[in-house]
């Protein structure tokens, strides 16, 4: 790799870091190519990108980004997952894959400029998905309105029931 290729790679990696909502560093030692491709496909379905990176180039790309906290994590055979849509979904895929394939280990991650340990990434994976959280928020917002409609419709309903009871009494 010549100097211009390295500069282009650093620029590309920096753009990936700057555009991502979260970054997770994994150690892939002993992972077969088929397994890596399977992991890549799973992550792409969730709006994330998995890539093996050169440590020196990754450290250079981190400078000036909010992911600079990951600087010390780039040693040995590592790969980075950039989550562009939902960091929780990417963390779920990685932790599930790491449990099924013990040779993949989650080292750390970064979210919002904060360093996450492997345990933090696992805790992130246990959170509900974005869709579930939006559904819960919607039910919380709709609940008071539903109760108000029930209360307001109670008076006319009772009035109609009284009229019906009077009608039945006169008919008998």
């Amino acid at each position: 790799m010549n100097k211009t290729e390295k500069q282009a790679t650093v620029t590309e990696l920096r753009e990936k870091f700057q555009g991502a909502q979260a970054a997770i560093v994994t150690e892939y030692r002993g992972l077969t190519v088929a397994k890596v491709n399977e992991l890549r496909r799973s992550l792409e379905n969730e709006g994330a990108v998995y890539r093996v990176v050169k440590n020196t180039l990754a450290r250079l790309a981190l400078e000036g980004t909010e992911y600079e906290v990951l600087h010390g994590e780039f040693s040995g055979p590592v790969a980075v997952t950039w989550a562009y849509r939902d960091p929780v979904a990417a963390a779920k895929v990685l932790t599930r894959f790491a449990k099924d394939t013990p040779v993949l280990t989650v080292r750390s991650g970064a979210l919002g400029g904060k360093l996450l340990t492997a345990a933090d990434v696992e805790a992130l994976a246990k959170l509900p998905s974005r869709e579930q959280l939006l559904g819960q928020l919607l039910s919380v917002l709709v609940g008071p309105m539903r109760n108000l409609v029930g209360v307001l419709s109670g008076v006319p309903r009772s009035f109609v029931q009284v009229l019906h009871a009077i009608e039945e009494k006169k008919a008998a």
Side-chain angles (χ1 to χ4, degrees):
M1 203 179 238
N2 64 28
K3 189 173 183 177
T4 56
E5 289 174 336
K6 288 179 182 178
Q7 288 174 339
T9 302
V10 168
T11 304
E12 178 190 354
L13 290 175
R14 182 171 287 128
E15 289 171 0
K16 285 185 181 294
F17 278 113
Q18 289 173 339
Q21 291 185 9
I24 302 170
V25 179
T26 57
E27 186 173 332
Y28 65 93
R29 188 185 321 249
L31 210 57
T32 64
V33 173
K35 285 289 191 182
V36 170
N37 289 335
E38 179 185 333
L39 177 59
R40 277 194 179 113
R41 279 191 298 276
S42 299
L43 286 167
E44 284 172 3
N45 291 337
E46 299 299 335
V49 175
Y50 182 83
R51 181 170 169 188
V52 174
V53 294
K54 287 188 172 280
N55 295 331
T56 308
L57 299 180
R59 280 191 222 109
L60 289 172
L62 288 172
E63 292 175 6
T65 68
E66 66 180 324
Y67 297 102
E68 212 164 356
V69 295
L70 290 172
H71 192 271
E73 298 298 320
F74 288 96
S75 62
V78 296
V80 180
T81 301
W82 292 281
Y84 292 105
R85 278 196 319 228
D86 187 8
V88 174
K92 283 182 186 211
V93 169
L94 282 171
T95 54
R96 189 178 327 117
F97 197 86
K99 285 180 184 169
D100 296 342
T101 312
V103 292
L104 178 79
T105 56
V106 176
R107 275 194 181 181
S108 63
L111 179 65
K114 302 216 184 281
L115 183 66
L116 303 175
T117 64
D120 293 337
V121 173
E122 193 170 327
L124 182 66
K126 291 180 182 175
L127 289 175
S129 69
R130 183 175 189 273
E131 289 78 19
Q132 289 172 325
L133 288 174
L134 288 174
Q136 290 173 356
L137 176 65
L138 182 64
S139 70
V140 166
L141 293 175
V142 169
M145 289 183 270
R146 187 179 322 132
N147 292 340
L148 179 64
V149 168
V151 167
L152 293 177
S153 68
V155 174
R157 187 180 327 116
S158 298
F159 181 69
V160 169
Q161 289 172 347
V162 168
L163 288 178
H164 184 62
I166 292 171
E167 178 188 2
E168 286 180 356
K169 187 176 182 182
K170 287 188 177 184

